[in-house]
Amino acid sequence: MPALRALGRSVGLVLHVLHGMLLMALLWRRLDESGRQQRIQWWSAKLLRRAGLTLTVRGAPRPGGALLVANHVSWLDIAAIHAACPQARFVSKADVKRWPLLGWLIAGAGTLFIERERKRDAMRMVHEMAAALQRGETVAVFPEGTTGAGATVLPFHANLLQAAIAVAAPIQPVALRFAEPGQPFSVAAQYIGDTTLLQSLWRVLAAQGLSVDVDFLPPQASAHAERRALAAALQQQIQQRLDEQVV
């Protein structure tokens, strides 16, 4: 049954991704920003449904320029947040661009790519993020720098938070939690260790009753903050919200 479930969902998922590529190739340049955001939200929400996930959103993203910081669990994290906050521009590692099909779509949605292996690239990204925040855009980052198992938030790297501090942009924490029946933190959704993208994709598509919660916490000021202390506080806030959800 799980294998048949995964095969059936994979057909719908591939068709949906191809639809997105067609939309990007033929229509994207003719859309204004509002039109693009509407399609990003629709496409992301449908991607989750095609993959068999139920989405629950708590709270709301702050309007205007803000930095979203979220814990990182799965390759589905971007779609989950985009389904609730389509205006978000993500900062992602550069090798995401090389993902089959999805990489091109993620790039087309305005993602900012960083070469994590190059220390100087972090400074370039801070400047790009600060400029976007000053323009009133929403930028989203995963400060853990890698995916975790879900229950425990890994230590946050502070470098990219400097973009918000430099322009006094508000920061909004976002708690992501994938769950399935009997598991408050889904094992099927984990994308850790030596797991490949295809292996993770298969596990997600084979799972039954998989869900994702996107919980927007209250925004907070960043002006004059010390970035390492701020990173630790944001990590703690997201960890506390995840702990509260499973009590």
Side-chain angles (χ1 to χ4, degrees):
M1 281 295 292
L4 290 176
R5 185 184 304 121
L7 285 172
R9 287 174 176 169
S10 65
V11 173
L13 192 64
V14 169
L15 290 174
H16 185 58
V17 171
L18 292 175
H19 183 194
M21 295 180 71
L22 190 64
L23 177 68
M24 189 75 69
L26 300 181
L27 187 61
W28 208 245
R29 292 184 180 180
R30 292 184 286 166
L31 295 172
D32 61 13
E33 191 60 32
S34 176
R36 290 183 178 186
Q37 290 179 14
Q38 289 176 10
R39 283 158 179 81
I40 286 173
Q41 185 168 38
W42 167 83
W43 190 88
S44 299
K46 190 169 183 178
L47 176 74
L48 296 175
R49 293 195 300 272
R50 290 286 194 184
L53 280 86
T54 300
L55 170 68
T56 300
V57 179
R58 296 184 173 88
R62 181 192 183 279
L67 179 65
L68 302 183
V69 295
N71 57 310
H72 201 7
V73 182
S74 169
W75 52 272
L76 286 164
D77 292 348
I78 291 177
I81 294 177
H82 263 163
C85 182
Q87 67 270 28
R89 296 187 67 189
F90 281 87
V91 176
S92 181
K93 56 186 180 181
D95 60 0
V96 168
K97 289 190 292 186
R98 296 187 286 274
W99 284 2
L101 303 181
L102 282 177
W104 185 64
L105 290 174
I106 291 171
T111 300
L112 302 168
F113 292 102
I114 182 172
E115 296 282 355
R116 294 190 182 277
E117 297 78 12
R118 296 170 51 195
K119 292 184 179 180
R120 290 185 178 181
D121 208 44
M123 184 58 65
R124 175 192 64 83
M125 184 53 61
V126 167
H127 289 308
E128 283 197 35
M129 291 169 60
L133 291 169
Q134 283 190 308
R135 292 192 299 267
E137 298 178 11
T138 300
V139 180
V141 298
F142 299 111
E144 291 166 293
T146 187
T147 49
T152 302
V153 182
L154 302 176
F156 277 8
H157 297 287
N159 289 351
L160 296 183
L161 300 183
Q162 186 62 40
I165 296 171
V167 297
I171 297 179
Q172 185 167 23
V174 183
L176 295 176
R177 182 172 66 91
F178 291 82
E180 55 188 301
Q183 297 179 7
F185 295 96
S186 170
V187 173
Q190 292 176 358
Y191 184 33
I192 55 176
D194 296 328
T195 303
T196 66
L197 178 61
L198 288 178
Q199 287 172 334
S200 177
L201 175 64
W202 184 261
R203 291 172 187 172
V204 167
L205 295 180
Q208 188 168 17
L210 196 60
S211 64
V212 57
D213 287 354
V214 181
D215 196 341
F216 292 92
L217 280 65
Q220 60 192 65
S222 67
H224 309 298
E226 197 286 314
R227 66 186 186 190
R228 290 179 179 82
L230 179 59
L234 292 166
Q235 175 196 354
Q236 185 177 19
Q237 289 171 33
I238 293 176
Q239 182 67 67
Q240 182 177 349
R241 182 55 57 92
L242 293 175
D243 293 341
E244 290 171 354
Q245 288 179 355
V246 298
V247 170

